[in-house]
Amino acid sequence: MAERNSTGLLMMLEPSPVIAMTLPVEVREKVAELELELSEGDITQKGYEKKRAKLLAPYTPQIQGVEPSLQKDNRIQSLSQAAPPGSKHNKSRATNTRDERFRSDLHTEAVHAALAKYKERKMPMPSKRRSVLVQSSIEACTPPDNHSAPPDVTGLSEHSLHADRDRPPVASVKVVPRGYNHSSVMETADGVPVNSRVSSKIQQLLNTLKRPKRPSLREFFIDDFEELVDVQQPDPNQPKAEGNQMSPLAGEPLGVVTNWPPSLLASLQRWGITQPRSPCLTALDNAGKPVYTLTYGKLWTRSQKLAFTLLNKLSTRNEPLLLPGDRVALVFPNSDPVMFMVAFYGCLLAELIPVPIEVPLTRKDAGSQQIGFLLGSCGVTLALTTDACQKGLPKAQTGEVVTFKGWPRLLWFVTDGKHVVKPPKDWHPTIREANNEIAYIEYKTSKEGSTMGITVSHPAMLAHCHALTQACGYTEAETICNVLDFKRDAGLWHGVLTSVMTRMHVISIPYSLMKVNPLSWIQKVHTYKARVAVVKSRDMHWSLLAQRDQRDVSLSSLRMLIVTDGANPWSISSCDAFLNVFQARGLRPEVICPCASSAEGMTVAIRRPPESGVPPPGKAVLSMSGLSHSVIRVDTEEKLSVLTVQDVGQVMPGALVCVVRVEGTPYLCQTDEVGEICVSSGSTGMAYYGLPGMTKNTFQTIPVRASGGPISGRPFTRTSLLGFVGPDNLVFIVGRMDGLMTVCGRRHNADDVVATALAVEPMKFVYRGRIAVFSVSVLHDERIVVVAEQRPDASEEGSFQWMSRVLQAIDSIHQVGVYCLALVPANTMPKAPLGGIHISETKQRFLEGALHPCNVLMCPHSCVTNLPKPRQKQPEVGPASMIVGNLVAGKRIAQACGRDVAQLEDNDQARKFLYMQDVLQWRAQATPDHALFLVLNAKGTVSSTASCLQLQKRAERVAVALIEKGRLNPGDHVALVYPPGIDLIATFYGCLYAGCVPVTVRPPHPQNLATTLPTVKMIVEVSKSVCILTTQAIMKLLKSKEAAAAVDVKSWPMVLDTDDLPRTKRLQIYKPPTPEMLAYLDFSVSTMGILAGVKMSHAATSALCRSIKLQCELYPSRQIAICLDPYCGLGFALWCLSSVYSGHQSILVPPLELDSNVSLWLSAVSQYKVRITFCSYSVMEMCTKGLGTQTETLRLRNINLSCVRTCMVVAEERPRITLTQSFSKIFKDLGLSPRAVSTTFGCRVNMAVCLQGTSGPDPTTVYLDMRALRHERVRMVERGSPHSLSLMESGKILPGVKVVIANTETKGPVGDSHLGEVWVSSPHNATGYYTVYGEDALHADHFNTKLSFGDTQTVWARTGYLGFLRRTELTDASGERHDALYVVGSLDETLELRGMRYHPIDIETSVIRSHKSIAECAVFTWTNLLVVVVELSGSEQEALDLVPLVTNVVLEDHYLIVGVVVVVDPGVIPINSRGQKQRMHLRDGFLADQLDPIYVAYNM
């Protein structure tokens, strides 16, 4: 039963009845103290059990062979059985012993019964690095299991899983479930068996997900791009309200009192003059001793003094600081009610408006900023406080109180005696009748965390006092014990306002005293023979935990025990338990009077004292399932999920109450329907200060009948209480709007969920009172989040088991899934001013990623049931489509071409030569001294140069060495392993001179041989190289001991070093028989981890150079700067081939040099006044990150980029528009034109498809709908549209290149602006793969494929990239309209999920945006689960904050559920030399458990 309270705790803690009788008084007192410490979190569970066992040991009979813990459980059971049964139907008040059946231990039983239904599921436990564990028990950790970093290429060999054991063990102790099976073996993508705990956990996760979800996803298919989120259809069998429409319920009329004062101040004046010695308020210290009693005479004189001082003695520039009607902040601690009361009435006498607020202790108090906004909007300039409080506030260096964040600048005035002035005898405060002015402003925090000020007028204040006096039967000189905060709510209404109206004596119990001695209020009731006590159910619960055998304590004087949170449905069990214990001490059952109130409606209903002749109290046992549909169904068969509530009595005198629907038009509810209580009376709040719109909605609601007519001419105030009117016109409350969570169309109350979580044996793992439940909006629905504080001594595994049981209990009892359950370290949740959790601040921190949990369990798979329907692919344009001219289904065919090379007349001398070696010879004769290459070092100085003649001579010497020393034959393959420089270029031409086929290979990194050397070895082997040319230094490295640890150094082919080649006689240059012969091999590793070498013929090489020359207008007089790796693709062509063909001078900047001098490339561009420059994305990123803040310094060094006409990024991917825009923006200050930066596009089959060049229109940018893109459609949207993706054109198509967009399945052409694979035809296409390591058959048609219809003759090469062509409004050089090519991404890398195609970069961009500490991200799929790996740049305590944020953003932006979130250190995601993420290496590293993650979360 979801009856919400903590007496279950009491049951667990009380000694058994037999023992209790025999325990000495002092032992019982010590046990009670221990129990209080435990409930407050001041002692650990372990410490508590140890001390308690020690105390009880002499008195506890041990049962042979039975564990003490089991004895305790047995005791609990026997205790609940032994309790005297009460009659549910006994209505007479005198003998009303409340029904035991409704106590919260039954909720615990219900929860345990629900859990018993679930078989223990083996859920994969999150893996956590040791340093992140919060005092976790060591048994839960497996020993370290470290592995070496993943090699650069997958599929080489089985990686040793247990190498490298000498790293410090602290770094990677992981936590695994006890039942983990080490023998489970899975395979990576390339079939490498992986024996890892990661894979076994993923298998566990899949096993938990295989069970059917509720409600199941309906497999609808749509084929339009409107991706509709699945709207939850109402269940036809859900309960519906069947009763008649309710009638508004009126309270009894306000009684007419002959001598009733015209205002509260008139009452104060009357008592101050006629009864000056009558006690008004007694304040207690932390020991419970009375420190001061304020009499009515003192209150009257001190209030007058303060009023006079405020109006006459405070001034700025001879103007009075305050005028009547100004707002003043009252900042008084909870321990000083006397000063507060004087300040409050002083303000009222001065006609100022008091705004009582909490004392801000630090700049970071939860909710403090919002209080500041309230003060600012109220125009508060002065704060009143006490001397002690002012001294305790944080100070600035000047000694003044600091200005808190979000607060207006305040003057602080101390109201202690020495600062106030006695008014002259002729000065009297004006005491008017209650007019409609504002009397005071009470603050209220909304569900979202914003703070509003509720204005209360003088007549409302007076009417409320009148109504409370009548309802509670207050009489003059009664003593009332107030345990509540006197600054607001019921504490203010009863303890400061009504008490003065009726001249009562208030005993104020401070919160600090309650923490030290929870029984203090009961002792004061006894001491002062108090007639009334105003408490919360928490105060009753605390006194139960601390109750001692106080024979002298009697509660028989009480005629009313007002339970102010009686509207909270779990208060019933506090009331019942309290009565059970204290009935023996004179507490009469009918004294307990729950009431319902809210800041807006003030007191709405209260149970009257017995003498007023009202009907007996009621109790309702309601079906929780019915309540979730806002319907009242009494005591259904389903006993597990019922809620017991008590009534809160009758409507207040003079009030009219009705219940309206929560959402939409305020229609009256039916009699069996739950809604929001609305009240119309003279004693409610007036408005939200400064918020007219919200005021109208809340304070001026007009409820209407089903027919549409208003029920009354007067406006009603919404109270934010949810409830209904029961039999005998009793009001029942089942929750508050603040705690309402609407999930899948059903309403759940946060308090109910807390109660269920607490029923799952919480004491071992979390603190009882430190649980927050709230909902967050994710993917168009609310999702429930539970946050609790974990005990420091709770084991990692135990907490995880508790979390999974909580999820199952809530699922079973409330039929709702929990989206996220987080445990945070003890004492880290934001606290409300007087205890309790600050819910809105907790929610804010959760959403900002600032909660720092130590355990997180996400369950999106079971909660998110409104995902868009999976897509079923529809066939696009097929061969049967009608083709008319160049139209496909009414659209122009997506086909475009660069300029025609044959028709371009230019004085290109190099065209006469068929081979690059001939061009070099010709240049060496024609312009021998023309410098072709300048290589710069890190200092920016020229480290080496090569003129045409020098290059030729050096190439000849290399050729002779190959033929004579190496004994190589024409056609042999030679690996060139050089750092970027002239040697690489010279040996390349040397190989051509000797007729050999060069293969450029990046040299291994000396500091990282284990990872980089296997790649070198593999390229050498795969390319069948018979010889390696290199430098002496690298030659030593290849054969070193370190190298032997990584590869078999004995199997290297012949290695020649070219450092000291002899001068030679002239050489006969080799002439290939045909230009179609192989010129060189170009090897690179794709982002999928596939090593692919392509064959470049002599004809293709020359055609490529000619195309680049024409596009960039390259001539011998030009200079270009290149900051690229020279080993493959366009980088190699620009570095080694282009200068020789076109004759321009290339300034070569090796990217590695930027590590020691980031500004090297830009300095070179500026120094040589370069018009055209090329770089890679990694270089651009280094400059953006490394120089972003240094543009001023660069300007002072005279770096000027205004010379740059085109800066092209060489890439094989979608343009990174964010990076290029950042680069342009940062270096705009150095003269870089915003139009200069553009991108190129090339791939394995054709190294240069697009290149911006120097002429032609600027690159265009379009905005696509990302949702349509998933359906493989292109839909243009406006910039800034939701779900839009900006895409930049990939440069202009090169001369001689033809491009067509083909459907990936039918191989037919598609229309303009349709997505398909980019196919290319050009003279410089590569002629085929030399080998694709591991995947030969798959790629056979990459180089020669034909369209299935349309132009079926042209031979095309498939790029493997998705993109589209779009005809723009711009014109190119020939006057034709320009066709722009947009590359969307690699086909191999796309993720097929839920029938849709996702590009990893889109998901990664969203994830990086979700939290400031995410430095980099990569995603991949494994067994249909989406795995997100994030690099954490912040502290490790932020690691778990990322899990919910990553899950949320991927759901919101991409409608995908993340399966696994892996948090790793910066630099773990492998990135190749081109700046591309190696996602497959990462995947294999993850599955082989080699990433040493900080945290791995498996979403359920």
Side-chain angles (χ1 to χ4, degrees), residues 1086-1149:
S1086 78
T1087 54
M1088 302 301 288
I1090 296 168
L1091 176 69
V1094 292
K1095 299 185 277 194
M1096 285 294 286
S1097 66
H1098 287 280
T1101 307
S1102 303
L1104 174 63
C1105 292
R1106 173 157 166 71
S1107 222
I1108 294 171
K1109 174 186 191 298
L1110 292 169
Q1111 191 79 336
C1112 297
E1113 299 175 8
L1114 299 174
Y1115 307 110
S1117 56
R1118 284 271 159 87
Q1119 276 184 321
I1120 71 168
I1122 299 169
C1123 189
L1124 291 168
D1125 272 322
Y1127 300 107
C1128 61
L1130 187 54
F1132 166 76
L1134 290 167
W1135 188 286
C1136 292
L1137 304 173
S1138 201
S1139 268
V1140 170
Y1141 185 90
S1142 307
H1144 60 271
Q1145 188 182 67
S1146 290
I1147 293 139
L1148 306 176
V1149 182

Side-chain angles (χ1 to χ4, degrees), residues 725-1031:
V725 177
D728 294 333
N729 286 342
L730 294 174
V731 178
F732 287 85
I733 304 293
V734 296
R736 300 182 78 91
M737 290 293 286
D738 286 357
L740 191 66
M741 304 178 292
T742 307
V743 183
C744 294
R746 291 174 58 213
R747 298 193 174 113
H748 303 274
N749 200 302
D751 288 332
D752 298 343
V753 177
V754 169
T756 302
L758 285 177
V760 185
E761 47 189 13
M763 298 305 295
K764 298 179 197 162
F765 307 108
V766 298
Y767 292 106
R768 275 196 81 85
R770 317 283 303 147
I771 296 186
V773 172
F774 50 87
S775 62
V776 294
S777 180
V778 181
L779 194 65
H780 312 291
D781 202 356
E782 295 293 300
R783 315 285 174 195
I784 295 177
V785 178
V786 180
V787 183
E789 281 190 3
Q790 179 176 319
R791 292 180 172 275
D793 54 347
S795 78
E796 199 69 23
E797 193 166 350
S799 297
F800 180 74
Q801 293 301 334
W802 179 79
M803 290 163 87
S804 22
R805 286 168 68 79
V806 166
L807 296 177
Q808 291 167 1
I810 292 171
D811 184 70
S812 179
I813 285 189
H814 302 275
Q815 278 88 52
V816 66
V818 173
Y819 178 66
C820 175
L821 176 49
L823 298 185
V824 298
N827 281 322
T828 57
M829 274 166 87
K831 295 182 175 66
L834 297 180
I837 302 290
H838 199 294
I839 303 282
S840 57
E841 183 76 13
T842 305
K843 176 176 174 176
Q844 192 59 33
R845 288 190 194 176
F846 174 79
L847 292 172
E848 287 171 357
L851 204 53
H852 307 330
C854 49
N855 260 318
V856 166
L857 196 49
M858 299 283 300
C859 304
H861 292 278
S862 56
C863 286
V864 182
T865 55
N866 63 333
L867 283 172
K869 298 135 191 176
R871 168 175 170 251
Q872 190 176 49
K873 292 186 179 172
Q874 300 292 325
E876 297 266 342
V877 180
S881 298
M882 179 65 76
I883 296 196
V884 185
N886 265 357
L887 296 181
V888 177
K891 286 228 175 194
R892 194 182 69 84
I893 286 184
Q895 192 167 349
C897 55
R899 292 175 289 168
D900 186 351
V901 182
Q903 299 195 346
L904 288 169
E905 285 304 320
D906 65 333
N907 50 3
D908 187 353
Q909 298 295 313
R911 274 173 77 187
K912 299 182 294 198
F913 303 102
L914 293 173
Y915 306 104
M916 289 300 295
Q917 55 269 43
D918 294 348
V919 179
L920 178 55
Q921 261 200 314
W922 165 67
R923 290 214 180 275
Q925 289 161 4
T927 53
D929 300 327
H930 174 59
L932 282 179
F933 299 103
L934 273 71
V935 182
L936 302 186
N937 61 17
K939 292 175 183 160
T941 53
V942 177
S943 61
S944 56
T945 63
S947 66
C948 301
L949 186 61
Q950 286 168 331
L951 187 63
Q952 192 207 2
K953 288 265 171 61
R954 190 148 174 68
E956 283 177 345
R957 292 212 293 275
V958 170
V960 168
L962 286 171
I963 293 164
E964 294 182 356
K965 259 171 107 177
R967 308 242 175 260
L968 298 193
N969 301 316
D972 281 346
H973 296 186
V974 178
L976 313 180
V977 186
Y978 288 95
I982 304 289
D983 282 351
L984 181 69
I985 304 168
T987 49
F988 176 81
Y989 286 99
C991 288
L992 296 187
Y993 280 7
C996 297
V997 177
V999 184
T1000 50
V1001 184
R1002 173 192 311 281
H1005 196 288
Q1007 270 78 53
N1008 194 6
L1009 280 181
T1011 313
T1012 54
L1013 194 59
T1015 312
V1016 176
K1017 183 88 165 108
M1018 189 155 121
I1019 294 176
V1020 168
E1021 284 173 0
V1022 170
S1023 65
K1024 303 191 173 73
S1025 297
V1026 295
C1027 170
I1028 296 174
L1029 291 184
T1030 186
T1031 63

Side-chain angles (χ1 to χ4, degrees), residues 80-117:
S80 61
Q81 285 163 358
S87 161
K88 179 182 170 186
H89 305 289
N90 184 355
K91 286 219 170 184
S92 81
R93 292 206 52 163
T95 57
N96 180 10
T97 56
R98 292 163 186 247
D99 189 345
E100 276 306 295
R101 229 162 54 77
F102 300 132
R103 294 185 54 172
S104 72
D105 44 339
L106 287 190
H107 188 148
T108 311
E109 285 170 30
V111 167
H112 290 172
L115 287 174
K117 285 185 182 174

Side-chain angles (χ1 to χ4, degrees), residues 621-628 631 633-636 641-643:
V621 183
L622 307 175
S623 151
M624 228 179 230
S625 167
L627 283 177
S628 73
V631 175
R633 291 289 178 268
V634 176
D635 210 349
T636 59
S641 53
V642 292
L643 169 67

Side-chain angles (χ1 to χ4, degrees), residues 1112-1192:
C1112 297
E1113 299 175 8
L1114 299 174
Y1115 307 110
S1117 56
R1118 284 271 159 87
Q1119 276 184 321
I1120 71 168
I1122 299 169
C1123 189
L1124 291 168
D1125 272 322
Y1127 300 107
C1128 61
L1130 187 54
F1132 166 76
L1134 290 167
W1135 188 286
C1136 292
L1137 304 173
S1138 201
S1139 268
V1140 170
Y1141 185 90
S1142 307
H1144 60 271
Q1145 188 182 67
S1146 290
I1147 293 139
L1148 306 176
V1149 182
L1152 273 176
E1153 303 288 3
L1154 267 68
D1155 288 345
S1156 43
N1157 177 5
V1158 188
S1159 62
L1160 175 62
W1161 167 54
L1162 296 179
S1163 308
V1165 168
S1166 168
Q1167 182 187 340
Y1168 291 96
K1169 300 210 170 13
V1170 170
R1171 290 179 67 187
I1172 299 171
T1173 180
F1174 293 88
C1175 70
S1176 63
Y1177 278 124
S1178 40
V1179 166
M1180 191 169 265
E1181 194 161 19
M1182 278 177 84
C1183 292
T1184 308
K1185 285 182 178 168
L1187 300 172
T1189 53
Q1190 298 176 30
T1191 46
E1192 198 48 49

Side-chain angles (χ1 to χ4, degrees), residues 6 9-10 13 31-33 35-36 39 540-547:
S6 4
L9 167 66
L10 172 75
L13 301 182
V31 170
E33 276 168 20
E35 282 159 358
L36 180 63
S39 72
M540 299 161 83
H541 175 60
W542 280 6
S543 54
L544 286 175
L545 290 179
Q547 56 121 346

Side-chain angles (χ1 to χ4, degrees), residues 49 118 273 298 302 305 339 416 631 651 691 726 811 939 959 983 1111 1116 1183 1251 1310 1325 1385 1397 1433 1498:
E49 282 169 2
Y118 279 85
I273 292 165
K298 277 286 183 198
R302 287 176 66 176
K305 277 186 190 175
M339 297 298 285
D416 294 41
V631 175
V651 176
L691 300 169
D811 184 70
K939 292 175 183 160
D983 282 351
Q1111 191 79 336
C1183 292
L1251 205 147
V1310 300
N1325 275 10
R1397 196 189 286 283
S1433 62
Y1498 301 93

